[in-house]
Amino acid sequence: MKHLIGVDLGTSATKTIMMNEKGEIVASASYAYPLYEPANGWAEQDPHDWKEAVLTTIREVVDKSKVAKEDVAGIGLSGQMHGLVMLDENNEVITRSIIWCDARSDKQVDELLEAMPMEKWLEITNNPPLANWTAGKILWMRKNRPELYTKCRHILLPKDYVRYEMTGVFATDVSDATGMQLLDVKNRCWSDEVLEKLGIDKSMLADVYESPEVTGHLLPEIAEKMGLTTDTVVVAGGSDNACAALGTGVVHEGQAFTTIGTSAVVYTHLEHYTTVPGGGLHMCCCAVPGCWHTMGGPQSAGLSVEWFKNQFCKDLMEQAKAENKGFYDLMNELAEQVPIGSDKLIYLPFLMGERTPHMEPKYRGAFLGLNTVHTQAHMLRAIMEGIVYCLADCNQMLKDQGIHVNVMRACGGGSKSLLWRKMMAALFECDVRTLEQEEGPAYGGAILAGVGAGVFSSVQDACDAFIKEKDSISMDEQAAAAYKKYHKIYNQMYEALLNPYLELAEVE
């Protein structure tokens, strides 16, 4: 039986799985590495740590599974997006990677807009210039570290640096390349116009492939370290979000998934290219060849809950411990006792600014409508509702474009809350379903490897065969009608407070 390896190169750790051709996971391993923060708002990692993590975890799953090395057909890589890896003329790493959450290149957004107007960025990349995407990082290095940038001969994304070390090939995939802000997203290739305007040499960029395409084979010395053969193919792979979509089986028009973790995302699969007015949603090539996806949601979703828990819920934390319950179970019990709309209390979930659909980093969170009747439970429910209002706004942008989601799959920590799923069903106006098991981006990487190695006929066929739904919540029409009233007021509050928040940000 053929086996496949999926690798998810995350921010805190790399997770690797071994999967058989029936979609069953036979072994898994993880390897953590440090995050460096040399200045406020900066975030860096050492690419050598990623290489070591991938080599170590692949060897571990090979040893654990006891699968013959000849039976491992392929490897698929998933990775954190936007990170900048620079190699010199000897193909050696020049400096640590500036990763996705690094905020130092905010001034480079102005440079990007000076190079091309917003309309042109949306026309070509289908996304507005963003500080944490790779193009801004490249400009920052060129301006602030010219002695390092002049040595640069190759620009790679995190997973693609590891690919180079494994295969000797410079390659990337369309989903990850979208996040560099250098890709013509409609035509799925590097944009010569963007590269010319920014003065970036195209020869420094990797070749672009569709996610299941084979990009190379393992080098002999790498194959030996992994316990594999040079016949093992390495496919292009995908971004973490694109591969997570495969892991949740979101591969057909009308399908979407929502995940609520520290941040929250609503991800929608599209079989046809479309534009989103004003760039209110991220629009990317996805890991299914010839298809795209949108992403949107607040940065401070689960973070809002964590902030409120740590600052104002010491008593509930102690109560949960005394009753041998999880805090979130107790939170759900309390919030369920509060009516829809939290007795006219609305929370705006923008503690760290807003990402989508309005993209305003100077916005901040707020409780609005506070009254003496409101309790801890009201505020917890209001936080939960505010997060879903924001996700529903992202979904509404798609509806405005004639794109309707008929099934929403829920995953991540928030999916475990029945109350949260009921809110989603009411505000998304569609069924919300959970999965039998959540395997994440590494599983998506393994599926891509299987397609590239000829084990599976297509990405869609593999996902349809392996990803199974568990529970389903349908829209409650009365709840949906009630939430529409509060959602309308929520949006009015956002608009009314925007200018005061912009002024507040300028106060010394």
Side-chain angles (χ1 to χ4, degrees):
M1 183 183 293
K2 293 298 183 183
H3 286 72
L4 305 154
I5 292 174
V7 178
D8 177 27
L9 197 157
T11 307
S12 58
T14 285
K15 179 183 178 181
T16 298
I17 65 167
M18 174 85 79
M19 180 179 84
N20 64 26
E21 60 189 53
K22 296 179 181 179
E24 300 165 336
I25 296 176
V26 299
S28 64
S30 63
Y31 186 112
Y33 29 72
L35 171 70
Y36 300 96
E37 299 177 87
N40 185 21
W42 293 24
E44 300 175 355
Q45 288 186 313
D46 187 339
H48 299 103
D49 290 339
W50 299 332
K51 175 185 175 182
E52 184 64 24
V54 173
L55 294 181
T56 300
T57 53
I58 289 180
R59 182 68 198 222
E60 191 172 339
V61 297
V62 169
D63 291 345
K64 282 182 178 179
S65 67
K66 297 181 169 54
V67 172
K69 59 185 178 181
E70 295 81 9
D71 291 333
V72 180
I75 299 171
L77 299 169
S78 166
Q80 51 171 290
M81 298 177 73
H82 315 306
L84 172 63
V85 182
M86 301 193 305
L87 306 185
D88 64 17
E89 61 184 3
N90 298 315
N91 299 329
E92 297 291 337
V93 174
I94 294 172
T95 186
R96 289 197 300 233
S97 172
I98 304 174
I99 67 168
W100 66 275
C101 54
D102 188 284
R104 74 183 73 178
S105 54
D106 57 334
K107 292 181 180 178
Q108 275 60 53
V109 172
D110 293 335
E111 290 184 42
L112 293 169
L113 290 171
E114 287 172 7
M116 287 199 314
M118 177 68 78
E119 313 85 72
K120 201 67 178 176
W121 283 106
L122 296 178
E123 176 189 330
I124 298 173
T125 72
N126 215 348
N127 290 281
L130 298 168
N132 61 328
W133 287 32
T134 318
K137 295 177 171 65
I138 295 171
L139 298 187
W140 188 92
M141 286 296 300
R142 187 166 66 192
K143 181 175 183 178
N144 296 280
R145 298 290 186 272
E147 73 285 0
L148 297 179
Y149 188 79
T150 54
K151 298 178 182 179
C152 183
R153 297 296 178 271
H154 298 281
I155 292 172
L156 297 171
L157 293 163
K159 80 174 194 319
D160 301 322
Y161 162 71
V162 174
R163 179 202 320 281
Y164 166 73
E165 293 288 357
M166 291 167 61
T167 66
V169 174
F170 294 109
T172 189
D173 79 285
V174 290
S175 66
D176 217 1
T178 299
M180 295 185 77
Q181 203 125 43
L182 304 174
L183 195 77
D184 179 335
V185 174
K186 182 178 182 180
N187 295 303
R188 306 169 84 87
C189 61
W190 297 125
S191 168
D192 290 329
E193 184 173 358
V194 170
L195 295 174
E196 181 183 352
K197 294 291 186 182
L198 299 184
I200 296 173
D201 187 347
K202 188 176 181 179
S203 68
M204 293 199 294
L205 302 179
D207 293 333
V208 182
Y209 292 79
E210 292 292 339
S211 293
E213 287 189 281
V214 174
T215 58
H217 292 74
L218 294 178
L219 295 169
E221 63 271 24
I222 296 296
E224 183 177 356
K225 288 180 180 179
M226 292 178 171
L228 298 173
T229 76
T230 55
D231 291 330
T232 303
V233 302
V234 179
V235 300
S239 69
D240 49 4
N241 284 298
C243 286
L246 306 191
T248 55
V250 174
V251 292
H252 298 287
E253 188 83 16
Q255 289 184 327
F257 77 83
T258 295
T259 178
I260 298 178
T262 301
S263 63
V265 167
V266 57
Y267 174 114
T268 306
H269 179 90
L270 302 175
E271 293 181 356
H272 304 283
Y273 180 82
T274 189
T275 58
V276 179
L281 295 174
H282 299 325
M283 168 66 74
C284 307
C285 300
C286 80
V288 179
C291 296
W292 291 264
H293 72 81
T294 63
M295 291 191 303
Q299 295 189 98
S300 304
L303 179 62
S304 291
V305 178
E306 285 293 300
W307 160 75
F308 192 76
K309 179 189 79 170
N310 293 332
Q311 299 299 326
F312 306 107
C313 295
K314 302 293 185 184
D315 57 333
L316 292 187
M317 293 166 71
E318 292 174 4
Q319 180 183 341
K321 185 177 180 180
E323 296 178 5
N324 198 27
K325 293 179 180 178
F327 172 82
Y328 299 103
D329 293 329
L330 182 58
M331 176 186 78
N332 283 311
E333 290 177 15
L334 293 171
E336 282 178 326
Q337 298 170 22
V338 176
I340 288 174
S342 305
D343 280 328
K344 302 183 180 180
L345 178 65
I346 291 178
Y347 174 71
L348 303 180
F350 308 122
L351 296 179
M352 304 296 289
E354 190 178 14
R355 177 173 61 186
T356 51
H358 302 290
M359 294 193 184
E360 179 46 71
K362 295 178 181 177
Y363 208 80
R364 290 296 179 265
F367 283 104
L368 297 164
L370 275 169
N371 185 275
T372 54
V373 303
H374 293 131
T375 65
Q376 202 175 42
H378 286 87
M379 300 177 86
L380 285 168
R381 181 169 183 128
I383 290 173
M384 297 174 74
E385 290 176 336
I387 291 164
V388 185
Y389 291 145
C390 184
L391 292 169
D393 281 342
C394 296
N395 193 44
Q396 184 60 47
M397 295 190 77
L398 293 174
K399 290 182 181 181
D400 292 342
Q401 296 298 103
I403 300 165
H404 292 273
V405 172
N406 49 48
V407 173
M408 182 71 70
R409 289 177 169 172
C411 57
S415 70
K416 296 176 176 63
S417 166
L418 177 61
L419 177 59
W420 234 332
R421 299 201 305 274
K422 287 179 178 178
M423 292 176 186
M424 292 179 197
L427 279 156
F428 292 147
E429 298 182 321
C430 69
D431 289 353
V432 174
R433 301 172 185 174
T434 58
L435 301 174
E436 288 285 353
Q437 55 184 8
E438 296 177 26
E439 303 300 349
Y443 196 83
I447 287 175
L448 293 172
V451 177
V455 178
F456 309 135
S457 58
S458 71
V459 172
Q460 293 96 327
D461 286 349
C463 289
D464 291 345
F466 302 147
I467 312 301
K468 303 300 180 185
E469 293 177 343
K470 185 180 180 182
D471 299 320
S472 181
I473 298 291
S474 296
M475 178 187 70
D476 181 305
E477 292 188 5
Q478 285 187 324
Y483 272 125
K484 275 187 178 178
K485 297 175 184 177
Y486 287 105
H487 191 189
K488 179 181 178 181
I489 297 168
Y490 162 95
N491 282 320
Q492 290 173 342
M493 288 176 168
Y494 174 87
E495 295 169 3
L497 288 173
L498 179 57
N499 285 333
Y501 273 119
L502 293 176
E503 291 182 26
L504 182 63
E506 301 303 317
V507 174
E508 294 293 337

